[in-house]
Amino acid sequence: MASLPPIDLPSAATGAGAFDTPAPSEGSALFEYLLRLGDDSLILGQRLSEWCGHAPSVEVDLSLANIALDLVGQATHFLNLAGEAEGKGRDDDALAFRRDVLDFRNCWLVEQPNGDFAQTMARQLLFSTWQKLLFRSLVGSSEPTIAAVAEKAVKEVTYHQELASEWVIRLGDGTEESRRRMQEGLDWMWRFVPELFEMDDLAAFMAEKGIGVDLPAIRDEYDRQIRDVIAEATLDLPPDQRPILGGRRGHHSEHLGHLLAAMQFLPRTYPDAVW
Amino acid sequence: MLTDPGLWEVLASVPDPEIPVISVVDLGIVRSVAPDKVTITPTYTGCPASHVIERDIRDALDAAGYRHVAIETVLSPAWTTDWITPEGRAKLAAYGIAPPTKGAVHCPQCGSVQTEEISRFGSTPCKSLWRCRDCAEPFDLFKCH
Ligand SMILES: [Zn+2]
């Protein structure tokens, strides 16, 4: 699918935190890998929670809030594991609320603004389909703690994918207006898909260890599932766009900083507050 | 596995905080009971009740003199609605929540199978929202999971 060369910012663009050691130690690699897993879930969970009280109907409001809850639950587990791998005493809260934007390792897709409801559903379809296949593979991870979270979460993510698929089909095969918006949402989010399958040194290292997933191996199945939904929705497969990479190394769109400002404001203003 | 009937009794008295008609034992989240350790598993990854459940179990154990018994939370094997006990299913139905089923969904009010899903997600992550086309009552279905 990706015939155009990717856009990837030079790693010198960020000062600290970028993963650039040629031979990663297993501990630091595991920490980075868990951040990728945890940050994807955390950031999308935060994004979806922005819909709370604003969704098109109360049922959709509940659905998005519940998906957000599942994702934040995943993030809690992955970030706690990341803190343990790092061994510096940071827990899930410390990693979620006291890291700056350059230290986040999520993909670009999840930090994209919600846009309209169609755009949110396009993002959800593209992400949940990927996450389901990813977790399905991670169930066989040689790291039992990761396998346990994946085994637990894959059942929930299957539900997320079904919900998103149903809405993409309903809107795509709907009115002229809903179809136009659904197509636009899909076209916009499409450019962030190649990053989901990017195998950089860290991803390759983790896959080699049997801890992580060989992402190209799940690509065909991903394409097949996405194509099926797009076809049933009577939508057009978006044209190839120049893929954008870099989230895994801390390069993000400006949107992430704004999201973090909202998410981190309270715990940073009142550190260790209890009530 | 060594089981202490007294411990099981204490656990069976701890209600689920979101569906208080069933206990944590009915819900199937108590995985094992040893003389010094109770092992539990969360229903959903992000279930906000998980912390409350653990605290409630701790309080109940302490009050019953089992202060030395630790609580361990495990993720694997992942919880499934198949672990809800027959008593738990009966209590759910009596309370007005359709128990999880792979077949037709019966209205918990009138028993009709003329029912339809309104929303895939209900008031909590574990339930979806349904309505009965015969008696017109909306109801929660405990989702198969
Ligand atoms: Zn009825």
Side-chain angles (χ1 to χ4, degrees):
Chain A
M1 189 175 79
S3 57
L4 298 168
I7 297 173
D8 190 12
L9 299 167
S11 59
T14 67
F19 179 80
D20 53 11
T21 36
S25 77
E26 194 158 335
S28 70
L30 185 60
F31 171 64
E32 284 282 334
Y33 191 69
L34 285 161
L35 286 186
R36 292 179 180 191
L37 294 171
D39 288 348
D40 280 352
S41 301
L42 177 69
I43 300 304
L44 187 55
Q46 175 71 16
R47 268 286 177 245
L48 286 175
S49 69
E50 292 169 10
W51 273 108
C52 193
H54 302 276
S57 71
V58 68
E59 289 82 7
V60 174
D61 213 279
L62 282 171
S63 299
L64 297 182
N66 273 306
I67 294 176
L69 206 55
D70 287 342
L71 289 165
V72 172
Q74 294 167 12
T76 301
H77 290 295
F78 286 133
L79 293 181
N80 267 323
L81 292 174
E84 285 168 25
E86 187 193 34
K88 291 182 184 167
R90 292 202 280 183
D91 63 3
D92 55 338
D93 282 341
L95 288 168
F97 297 128
R98 297 189 193 174
R99 264 184 306 153
D100 285 323
V101 63
L102 298 182
D103 295 323
F104 274 78
R105 293 292 178 264
N106 57 278
C107 59
W108 278 55
L109 178 64
V110 296
E111 70 194 44
Q112 296 310 305
N114 289 331
D116 61 12
F117 182 62
Q119 194 161 315
T120 292
M121 284 300 116
R123 185 184 62 200
Q124 201 62 43
L125 174 70
L126 297 177
F127 181 78
S128 295
T129 303
W130 175 77
Q131 202 187 34
K132 184 189 73 177
L133 297 171
L134 176 79
F135 283 0
R136 215 182 253 174
S137 297
L138 281 176
V139 169
S141 171
S142 62
E143 177 55 51
T145 52
I146 293 180
V149 180
E151 181 198 340
K152 176 102 198 124
V154 74
K155 294 171 36 163
E156 297 154 17
V157 176
T158 302
Y159 233 67
H160 305 171
Q161 185 202 16
E162 283 171 20
L163 182 104
S165 302
E166 284 168 14
W167 274 108
V168 169
I169 291 164
R170 186 165 160 189
L171 295 173
D173 193 14
T175 65
E176 205 176 300
E177 173 76 359
S178 72
R179 184 182 197 287
R180 181 184 64 75
R181 290 192 186 211
M182 197 59 246
Q183 188 69 55
E184 282 177 10
L186 204 55
D187 289 352
W188 172 254
M189 293 297 176
W190 202 249
R191 72 201 70 204
F192 304 111
V193 171
E195 187 185 25
L196 301 176
F197 296 93
E198 186 196 8
M199 288 298 280
D200 61 2
D201 289 349
L202 176 77
F205 179 76
M206 295 312 277
E208 212 174 283
K209 289 269 169 200
I211 297 172
V213 172
D214 178 33
L215 294 167
I218 57 173
R219 183 70 203 249
D220 283 351
E221 179 62 16
Y222 179 85
D223 287 346
R224 193 188 60 72
Q225 293 191 13
I226 295 292
R227 270 200 308 266
D228 284 354
V229 174
I230 289 179
E232 201 180 334
T234 71
L235 293 165
D236 300 320
L237 204 63
D240 280 356
Q241 291 149 25
R242 199 176 285 267
I244 298 168
L245 308 175
R248 304 303 188 199
R249 287 171 295 287
H251 312 304
H252 294 284
S253 58
E254 65 173 299
H255 306 300
L256 184 59
H258 294 283
L259 178 147
L260 294 180
M263 187 179 85
Q264 296 180 334
F265 163 76
L266 197 70
R268 286 198 181 220
T269 308
Y270 303 98
D272 303 316
V274 287
W275 62 86
Chain B
M1 181 182 22
L2 290 168
T3 53
D4 178 339
L7 257 178
W8 276 108
E9 228 168 85
V10 173
L11 294 167
S13 74
V14 179
D16 175 75
E18 285 180 344
I19 311 170
V21 290
I22 59 171
S23 76
V24 295
V25 174
D26 292 327
L27 194 55
I29 62 173
V30 177
R31 300 316 303 152
S32 67
V33 175
D36 58 348
K37 190 172 75 178
V38 170
T39 305
I40 59 174
T41 192
T43 51
Y44 279 69
T45 313
C47 183
S50 295
H51 296 290
V52 181
I53 288 176
E54 190 172 335
R55 201 193 55 211
D56 289 351
I57 293 177
R58 180 75 269 157
D59 288 348
L61 289 174
D62 288 354
Y66 291 102
R67 206 169 273 276
H68 61 285
V69 176
I71 302 170
E72 187 190 17
T73 300
V74 297
L75 291 181
S76 179
W79 177 82
T80 156
T81 40
D82 294 343
W83 294 347
I84 299 177
T85 62
E87 298 76 35
R89 296 176 60 87
K91 287 180 198 169
L92 284 173
Y95 186 60
I97 299 173
T101 172
K102 291 189 170 76
V105 173
H106 291 261
C107 167
Q109 305 299 332
C110 74
S112 166
V113 290
Q114 300 299 314
T115 54
E116 60 186 349
E117 184 183 83
I118 303 173
S119 172
R120 183 147 280 242
F121 291 92
S123 53
T124 63
C126 57
K127 288 176 283 180
S128 57
L129 208 53
W130 283 63
R131 105 178 113 210
C132 176
R133 282 197 293 250
D134 278 334
C135 73
E137 282 292 324
F139 64 91
D140 277 333
L141 166 70
F142 207 113
K143 289 186 293 204
C144 249
H145 189 74

